[in-house]
Amino acid sequence: MTHPQIAPYGSWRSPITAALVATSGISLGTIALDGDNIYWLEGRPAEGGRVVVVRRTADGAIADVTPQGFNVRTRVHEYGGAPYTVDQGMVYFSNFADQRLYCQRPGAAPEPITPETLWRYADFEVDRRRNRLIGVREDHSGSGEAVNTIVAISLDGAAEQRVLVSGADFYANPRLSPDGQWLAWLSWNHPNMPWDAAELWVAPVREDGMPGAAERIAGGPDDAAFQPAWGPDGALFFVAERTGWWNLYRWHNGVVHALCPMEAECGLPLWVFGARTYAVESADRLVCTYIERGEHKMALLDARNGNLTPLDLPFSDFGFTGPRATGGRVVFVGASPAAPAALVMLDLASGALTTVRRSMEMQIDPGFISTPQVIEFPTEGGVTAFGFYYPPRNRDFLAPEGEKPPLLVLSHGGPTGATSASFDPGIQFWTSRGIAVMDVNYGGSTGFGRAYRQRLDGRWGIVDVDDCCNAAMYLVAQGLADPERQIIAGGSAGGYTTLAALTFRHVFKVGASFYGVSDLEALARDTHKFESRYLDRLVGPYPERVDIYHARSPIYHIERLNCPVIFLQGLEDKVVPPDQSERMAAALRTKGIPVAYLAFEGEQHGFRKAETIIRALEAELYFYARILGFELADPVAPIVIDNL
């Protein structure tokens, strides 16, 4: 047995390379059950980020359904989600390149069923009785904002599309009852986001296929409805936030009942279509996931008496894909701190777990895996915030006695979102090299109730920044981090938190912004429809309070930013356009502060190509090493750092 080598933090040699992070794994999502067959989506960085529908048949055979040349993604709301559905072996999906809907029959090539036009589609299901799909359509053919509606599309594409529901700014989750007699859906309007005030509507379906008089049964201000799903007996299940927590309810015979009130979150922010937290296994039983003080759990819920029976499973995160259930079996994506996400099947009678597909086949020695510690730390206003601390871990190395590790603080995107303790090879990339990581669930994060989420209302750029800074200072006080080697990094909204922390506070020595926001006014003015009024709640009404937008935008206070930053940006990003990063990098360059800017062709909001992920991760490591002065164990392709 060899003894660990003594080497400074940051310079440890690790088998968890950038290439392993980028190419050894796939993403798993959007599960569909069709008879005994299981379908799901795989996102493959090694194929340029292409998303594929995959099927497992009853005999265990696994094969791709959608062929090369097709990428199953939708751009509705830009973030997409729920881009396909399956019915009796027929797969209907949105193709990313042209945003048309295609039908793929078993053994045949995909055929388009929607015209070539500026329409996008998402979140659909088959209305078999009327030979049509029902889904959300986003029309970009006119001037001004895109128009969102719920439409009916004939399965062969021959008939003209019919608008079933219109008038609201946004729609999601059109769901048809099992007998085809009722339609349920979510809607919301500017300036709300779906987690602020989404409304749940139901309407009978008339003989002509159009909805009759609609009734709102849940949702509205401070009661965001989420995920309607019909039971086999005609009851409608849904999640609502009436108590300050997203809990499960049932609507039956015109009456709403709370199923299991608790101080836990059974809902998620609807950033993407198809987000799920429960499945209807039978008329009387649900399989649900929920978050309790940041901890993810799965349980059986008896819809008759509200009894909740937690399931003893080796997983700590169930993602946004959620479970699907039928006939005593549950299919879901689960992950744990030590094991990458996997698509698994649970037999409810026996408790047996079957692994259907792993997101990463390569096994990483546990000696290189850092296990997260739940951290609750004090922050501004006499409250506490939360996060996961990952200490450095590498079986082959120890740091010199008395040395404290560099600390990388991660600020998640959204900002309405959350981080979890699931295995992330990107985090292990850092910890196995001797860099500690703190993944922060700052005020505004989900999973802790509405009051915690609304801490960020009107205070984005303040509460999140304070919490990230206080997380770093707390770990320093605990002797877990070097105060002179503090790093902060984040993407999108997390990139804004990163840049605001570097500009308006003096805790961090270096930072990385991935497609981050530097100009709040430009974001409010230029971003896509879905988020065009998001900042009304987080910052203030625009343009009436443009003064606040300027006061909190790093680009207007570049004189206060005096530490190095690396910017990484996709050139096709429509959510946070490249100009946001380019202006900041140019300003730092002019000021004489060390800065690097890397732009990637063909990438949107979030990197999907393996070569991009590798280059971005290695560039970030190289940048930190040069700025903080630690030697790298292995050679990394250098990047241009201006002013260094």
Side-chain angles (χ1 to χ4, degrees):
M1 181 176 179
T2 59
H3 294 286
Q5 302 177 48
I6 304 299
Y9 287 118
S11 63
W12 299 351
R13 179 171 285 105
S14 170
I16 306 174
T17 63
L20 184 148
V21 173
T23 62
S24 64
I26 56 175
S27 65
L28 301 167
T30 315
I31 303 164
L33 303 182
D34 186 46
D36 291 330
N37 294 331
I38 302 170
Y39 293 78
W40 66 92
L41 291 180
E42 289 188 5
R44 299 173 177 172
E47 297 182 27
R50 188 170 79 97
V51 180
V52 183
V53 176
V54 184
R55 178 183 62 234
R56 178 189 187 270
T57 54
D59 61 3
I62 294 175
D64 290 357
V65 175
T66 48
Q68 286 285 344
F70 290 89
N71 185 3
V72 185
R73 282 178 58 197
T74 175
R75 289 188 59 186
V76 179
H77 295 175
E78 294 299 339
Y79 295 110
Y84 84 105
T85 192
V86 183
D87 182 67
Q88 296 182 325
M90 307 279 279
V91 179
Y92 303 90
F93 67 90
S94 169
N95 184 46
F96 183 70
D98 56 14
Q99 289 298 293
R100 300 174 73 184
L101 285 185
Y102 286 76
C103 171
Q104 185 165 358
R105 295 170 174 81
E111 298 178 359
I113 60 172
T114 59
E116 292 184 82
T117 185
L118 298 176
W119 292 346
R120 305 172 181 177
Y121 308 89
D123 207 3
F124 28 79
E125 64 180 30
V126 174
D127 180 359
R128 193 182 301 164
R129 175 179 174 181
R130 300 173 183 88
N131 198 41
R132 64 185 185 176
L133 284 175
I134 296 176
V136 175
R137 186 180 76 187
E138 189 172 79
D139 182 357
H140 290 258
S141 62
S143 59
E145 275 196 336
V147 177
N148 294 66
T149 53
I150 294 176
V151 299
I153 305 161
S154 64
L155 294 182
D156 59 7
E160 185 176 345
Q161 295 182 17
R162 300 178 71 186
V163 175
L164 303 182
V165 186
S166 62
D169 291 322
F170 302 97
Y171 293 98
N173 297 167
R175 299 292 180 259
L176 195 65
S177 62
D179 62 6
Q181 297 296 310
W182 289 85
L183 181 67
W185 68 89
L186 298 179
S187 69
W188 64 98
N189 291 295
H190 288 313
N192 293 311
M193 299 299 284
W195 48 85
D196 296 324
E199 299 175 344
L200 173 58
W201 295 82
V202 296
V205 181
R206 303 185 318 223
E207 284 300 316
D208 64 357
M210 295 295 293
E215 175 188 357
R216 180 170 64 88
I217 62 172
D222 291 328
D223 180 19
F226 174 78
Q227 194 193 336
W230 295 95
D233 61 351
L236 180 66
F237 297 95
F238 62 93
V239 175
E241 206 178 17
R242 299 178 175 187
T243 65
W245 298 86
W246 270 316
N247 282 184
L248 278 157
Y249 295 81
R250 179 178 59 185
W251 177 77
H252 199 208
N253 296 325
V255 179
V256 172
H257 295 281
L259 291 180
C260 182
M262 56 181 173
E263 290 191 354
E265 296 281 56
C266 300
L268 295 170
L270 196 60
W271 277 107
V272 295
F273 291 100
R276 301 172 61 90
T277 57
Y278 71 94
V280 181
E281 190 272 333
S282 65
D284 297 326
R285 187 163 68 170
L286 307 183
V287 181
C288 63
T289 64
Y290 58 98
I291 306 172
E292 194 169 33
R293 295 187 68 81
E295 184 178 355
H296 294 235
K297 301 176 182 180
M298 181 179 284
L300 298 179
L301 176 60
D302 191 319
R304 297 165 299 181
N305 55 30
N307 287 342
L308 190 73
T309 306
L311 296 171
D312 185 16
L313 298 170
F315 306 109
S316 62
D317 183 31
F318 302 97
F320 72 88
T321 297
R324 295 278 180 155
T326 186
R329 63 173 181 162
V330 186
V331 182
F332 60 93
V333 175
S336 73
L343 181 70
V344 297
M345 181 167 57
L346 169 66
D347 184 291
L348 292 174
S350 67
L353 278 171
T354 301
T355 299
V356 177
R357 187 75 140 187
R358 301 182 191 277
S359 64
M360 179 182 289
E361 292 297 337
M362 182 178 295
Q363 299 295 308
I364 299 175
D365 189 303
F368 298 100
I369 296 176
S370 175
T371 301
Q373 304 168 16
V374 178
I375 300 291
E376 184 173 353
F377 58 91
T379 189
E380 307 304 308
V383 299
T384 58
F386 303 86
F388 299 100
Y389 170 71
Y390 296 79
R393 178 85 187 278
N394 186 315
R395 69 175 194 187
D396 296 333
F397 290 92
L398 291 173
E401 186 175 354
E403 183 184 358
K404 304 297 182 186
L407 175 68
L408 172 59
V409 171
L410 299 178
S411 54
H412 66 70
T416 308
T419 187
S420 73
S422 62
F423 179 84
D424 183 346
I427 288 178
Q428 305 298 331
F429 175 87
W430 300 108
T431 56
S432 62
R433 285 168 171 73
I435 298 173
V437 172
M438 178 64 170
D439 206 356
V440 183
N441 273 321
Y442 49 77
S445 302
T446 52
F448 304 91
R450 184 170 65 217
Y452 192 82
R453 189 177 79 237
Q454 291 183 343
R455 282 184 58 210
L456 208 59
D457 286 1
R459 296 177 62 79
W460 191 30
I462 298 174
V463 166
D464 50 323
V465 171
D466 285 339
D467 288 358
C468 286
C469 291
N470 284 325
M473 291 187 289
Y474 176 83
L475 293 174
V476 168
Q478 300 298 309
L480 298 174
D482 183 347
E484 299 304 316
R485 293 189 290 174
Q486 302 268 20
I487 311 163
I488 185 169
S492 189
Y496 168 68
T497 300
T498 291
L499 294 174
L502 294 171
T503 303
F504 301 118
R505 305 291 191 275
H506 300 287
V507 173
F508 300 101
K509 307 301 180 183
V510 60
S513 170
F514 289 75
Y515 34 89
V517 178
S518 62
D519 185 343
L520 292 174
E521 182 184 13
L523 181 66
R525 187 180 61 237
D526 300 335
T527 196
H528 58 128
K529 178 185 176 182
F530 181 62
E531 292 185 85
S532 62
R533 300 291 299 279
Y534 187 21
L535 302 194
D536 283 23
R537 181 181 291 265
L538 294 177
V539 181
Y542 180 81
E544 295 86 346
R545 294 309 311 270
V546 69
D547 59 315
I548 300 178
Y549 284 73
H550 286 190
R552 296 191 199 161
S553 294
I555 193 65
Y556 292 107
H557 303 278
I558 200 70
E559 76 282 353
R560 299 178 63 176
L561 178 51
N562 293 300
C563 63
V565 186
I566 181 172
F567 297 87
L568 304 109
Q569 178 71 47
L571 290 178
E572 295 181 13
D573 193 338
K574 303 299 183 184
V575 179
V576 181
D579 176 67
Q580 293 258 349
S581 294
E582 292 166 357
R583 290 166 58 201
M584 281 296 290
L588 285 175
R589 203 174 290 120
T590 299
K591 193 178 178 183
I593 302 295
V595 61
Y597 174 66
L598 279 74
F600 299 98
E601 294 278 359
E603 293 285 8
Q604 295 90 42
H605 197 65
F607 301 153
R608 290 178 170 83
K609 299 179 181 179
E611 58 268 28
T612 300
I613 297 168
I614 293 169
R615 181 59 171 157
L617 197 52
E618 290 186 343
E620 189 182 1
L621 174 63
Y622 180 86
F623 190 77
Y624 297 157
R626 291 296 308 276
I627 299 301
L628 297 180
F630 57 83
E631 296 292 329
L632 295 178
D634 296 302
V636 171
I639 60 172
V640 174
I641 304 176
D642 295 313
N643 302 322
L644 185 66

